[in-house]
């Protein structure tokens, strides 16, 4: 048995940055359409695919297909460092929590975190990354936004993602099926992203209303009450189709690419190590 070589912090930062850049470029049209819908407030009168289609046609007619990627550079500057830091914190908090669980349970062979730990790790890592990237002048407003919207989504997503991956592997083992790890992460990413998006949609709606109409929506509690009183429970789910589609695809893409880079780095380290070279010569 060779030594267990795990990717270092630089690898986690690089893998996070690569996945963040890739998802930003590929999914920029979703962000642009969502921004246009929010700015025009079309979704208040029309909802669903008709509105999205009309917005896409309007952008293409005005700026061509390339117009769908308008604003990609600012998105990269905003999101790529955040994704990189998120995975950096995720890696370190995972090791810290796993060591803590091993001590508390007395099970030193434990290799998987509990669902509650995954949820806390996902939420705290997202909050830490968001906190570090905020300019001081807008720290309070954006930290509250991250705390109420981004952190709950990240925590719930990681809980579901790890649980679904475990279920996929267990099912494949029971049926004696060889399931590629990339397939496992892609399916788990989409399923967890869709579920977490639906469950956290009210928080996203409140955050959007507070950003677009700060005079009407002055606090989180007041915004929840105002939306519910004026639009009933359905008001929290206006325009959900675009967010759910984007989040599901983005989550799957980011985590699949991130974990693929880590696996590739581990294999490369193993094959370049003396023990790996000896194993190849003996074979």
């Amino acid at each position: 048995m060779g030594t267990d070589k795990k990717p270092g912090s630089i690898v986690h930062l690089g893998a996070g940055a690569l996945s963040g850049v890739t998802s930003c470029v590929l999914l920029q049209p979703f962000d642009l359409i969502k921004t246009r819908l929010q700015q025009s407030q079309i979704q208040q009168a029309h909802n669903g695919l008709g509105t999205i289609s009309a917005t896409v046609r309007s952008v293409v007619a005005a700026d061509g297909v390339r117009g769908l990627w308008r604003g990609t550079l600012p998105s990269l500057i905003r999101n790529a460092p955040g994704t990189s830091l998120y995975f950096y914190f995720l890696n370190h908090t995972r090791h810290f929590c796993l060591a803590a669980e091993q001590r508390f349970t007395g099970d030193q062979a434990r290799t998987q975190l509990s669902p509650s730990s995954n949820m806390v790790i996902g939420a705290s890592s997202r909050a830490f990354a968001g906190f570090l990237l905020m300019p001081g002048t807008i720290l309070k407003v954006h930290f509250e936004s991250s705390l109420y919207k981004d952190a709950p989504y990240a925590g719930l997503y990681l809980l579901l993602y790890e649980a679904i991956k475990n279920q996929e592997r267990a099912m494949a083992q029971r049926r004696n099926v060889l399931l590629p790890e990339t397939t496992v992460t892609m399916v788990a990413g989409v399923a967890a992203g869709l579920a977490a998006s639906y469950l956290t949609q009210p928080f996203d709606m409140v955050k959007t209303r507070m950003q677009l109409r700060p005079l009407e929506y002055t606090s989180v509690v007041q915004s929840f009450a105002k939306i519910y009183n004026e639009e009933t429970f359905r008001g929290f789910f206006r325009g959900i189709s675009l967010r759910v589609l984007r989040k599901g695809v983005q989550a799957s893409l980011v985590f699949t690419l991130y974990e693929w880079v880590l696996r590739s780095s581990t294999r490369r380290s193993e094959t370049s190590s003396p023990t790996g070279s000896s194993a190849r010569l003996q074979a």
Side-chain angles (χ1 to χ4, degrees):
M1 283 281 288
T3 57
D4 183 18
K5 289 184 175 295
K6 294 183 179 179
S9 297
I10 297 299
V11 176
H12 286 276
L13 285 168
L18 178 62
S19 61
V21 168
T22 304
S23 65
C24 276
V25 173
L26 294 180
L27 301 177
Q28 177 60 23
F30 288 91
D31 275 337
L32 183 135
I33 294 166
K34 181 183 178 182
T35 301
R36 294 289 178 91
L37 287 172
Q38 290 174 345
Q39 289 174 342
S40 63
Q41 295 290 292
I42 300 175
Q43 71 270 32
Q44 293 186 358
H46 306 285
N47 216 350
L49 292 175
T51 298
I52 296 173
S53 300
T55 304
V56 172
R57 288 196 299 269
S58 174
V59 172
V60 173
D63 304 315
V65 175
R66 293 177 60 186
L68 294 171
W69 275 267
R70 183 185 295 273
T72 299
L73 183 58
S75 293
L76 286 173
I77 295 173
R78 183 178 67 251
N79 293 324
T83 306
S84 182
L85 283 174
Y86 167 70
F87 282 116
Y88 173 83
F89 285 124
L90 192 67
N91 173 54
H92 283 277
T93 50
R94 268 177 170 165
H95 288 306
F96 176 81
C97 287
L98 182 59
E101 287 191 0
Q102 288 173 341
R103 286 196 302 271
F104 290 143
T105 62
D107 181 10
Q108 296 301 314
R110 188 186 187 101
T111 59
Q112 291 189 341
L113 290 163
S114 64
S116 58
S117 291
N118 278 322
M119 189 168 187
V120 171
I121 288 169
S124 60
S125 297
R126 177 59 65 192
F128 289 154
F131 182 84
L132 288 181
L133 292 173
M134 291 170 200
T137 55
I138 55 174
L139 182 61
K140 180 177 182 295
V141 174
H142 282 268
F143 182 68
E144 287 179 350
S145 169
S146 177
L147 193 63
Y148 286 115
K149 183 268 223 181
D150 295 331
Y153 171 85
L156 187 59
Y157 172 84
L158 191 63
L159 182 153
L160 295 171
Y161 175 73
E162 294 295 341
I164 294 170
K165 282 202 305 181
N166 291 336
Q167 289 296 320
E168 287 183 82
R169 289 165 180 157
M171 186 181 300
Q173 188 174 16
R174 285 196 302 269
R175 298 184 179 183
N176 198 25
V177 175
L178 181 61
L179 197 61
E181 192 63 22
T182 299
T183 302
V184 172
T185 55
M186 287 182 66
V187 172
V190 170
L194 294 176
S197 295
Y198 269 106
L199 293 173
T200 59
Q201 170 65 15
F203 295 94
D204 188 72
M205 177 59 72
V206 166
K207 172 223 173 189
T208 301
R209 294 290 180 88
M210 290 177 67
Q211 287 179 336
L212 294 177
R213 290 185 269 174
L215 297 180
E216 295 180 47
Y217 298 89
T218 56
S219 70
V220 173
V221 175
Q222 181 267 346
S223 299
F224 268 106
K226 181 176 175 63
I227 294 173
Y228 179 78
N229 292 333
E230 295 180 358
E231 306 172 46
T232 72
F233 189 71
R234 294 176 59 185
F236 292 107
F237 293 90
R238 290 183 181 274
I240 191 174
S241 57
L242 186 62
R243 177 176 184 256
V244 166
L245 181 61
R246 175 187 172 277
K247 282 287 190 180
V249 174
Q250 181 188 39
S252 177
L253 179 62
V254 167
F255 269 78
T256 298
L257 185 55
Y258 167 76
E259 294 196 5
W260 176 81
V261 172
L262 295 189
R263 289 195 302 272
S264 299
S265 174
T266 301
R267 285 195 299 267
R268 193 159 49 245
S269 297
E270 290 174 348
T271 56
S272 63
S273 66
T275 54
S277 301
S278 299
R280 289 197 308 274
L281 287 173
Q282 292 173 5

